[in-house]
Amino acid sequence: MTKAQFQVFSSPELVAQAVASHIAEVVRARPQTVLGLATGKTFVSIYEALVRVGEETGLSFAEASSFNLDEYVGLPVGHPASFRRYMEEHFFRHVDLPADRALLPEAGDDAEAACRAYEAAIAARGGVDVQLLGIGRNGHIGFNEPGSAFDGRTQVARLTPSTIAANTSDFPPGELPPPEAITMGIGTILDAHAVVLVATGAAKAEALARAFLAPMDVDCPASALQQHAHVTVFCDEAAFAGMGPRA
Ligand code: GLP
């Protein structure tokens, strides 16, 4: 039985505002917060709302740090579909988070060493305080695809055909996503003190229900979150539809 708390809203816009307000409160209460950040279409409106709430309330990220969940392997610097570029465009360039504390995994010449270094960098900051997560239609979190070990650490992962298909629209016409990415492992994600999972739209309903209603199963990576004591799911009614009638 999951301990996750659900916050259900009537539209994706209201979800975005609620998540943004929550993150803003966390950073206001503890300016040195270590954020775990996510990408994906779901998060575009969340960063937009967070930037807005930050501007309106004079929120500073100057003492915060961030670690993104994942990044493709092998994209040239500045590639329009890289998660680095996404983060710059939607968040980093709009806030005062110092560039040297806004990290994404970078494969470099030695991807295995880069994975170990990423884990060490997270540990050196005292761990992630709040990890933001989206969810893939197949239940993936970060790029931890079905079958990933629940105790996995930051690693190079192979993307499934369904994830490649889902993410192809982020790439220029005629270009496919790379077959590999570096992702925090499920164990890395579970180490975060709190997790905020966001799901909007009917296409996420089945994955959300599998993650939180069915028994934990490596075939649904997000179901690992059932063992975490501090998970809040922010979702719209369409994504919540598979969870049964609302109390
Ligand atoms: C990607 C990312 C995930 C994200 C998921 C859902 O593959 N690696 O971190 O949660 O897809 O993304 P979207 O919000 O675009 O549906």
Side-chain angles (χ1 to χ4, degrees), residues 38-43 69-70 83 134-136 140 142-143 163 167 204:
T39 52
K41 296 174 191 75
T42 310
F43 277 88
L69 276 171
D70 46 15
F83 291 162
I135 183 168
H140 74 244
F143 272 129
T163 299
N167 291 4
K204 301 294 172 69

Side-chain angles (χ1 to χ4, degrees), residues 5-22 197-201 232-241 246:
Q5 307 278 321
F6 282 78
Q7 299 216 20
V8 187
F9 299 86
S10 57
S11 70
E13 292 74 26
L14 291 177
V15 172
Q17 278 173 30
V19 175
S21 302
H22 175 70
L197 184 138
V198 188
T200 56
T232 310
V233 180
F234 288 79
C235 61
D236 65 357
E237 281 163 4
F240 192 77
R246 288 180 62 186

Side-chain angles (χ1 to χ4, degrees), residues 72 140 143 145 158-169 171 176-180:
Y72 294 108
H140 74 244
F143 272 129
E145 297 282 24
R158 271 203 97 68
L159 311 192
T160 60
S162 79
T163 299
I164 290 177
N167 291 4
T168 296
S169 60
F171 281 73
L176 286 175
E180 290 183 337

Side-chain angles (χ1 to χ4, degrees), residues 33 45 47 52 61 76 182 200 215:
T33 295
S45 57
Y47 291 121
R52 197 179 328 116
F61 293 86
I182 293 189
T200 56

Side-chain angles (χ1 to χ4, degrees), residues 213-224:
L213 288 184
M216 279 196 290
D217 185 342
V218 290
D219 279 344
C220 181
S223 71

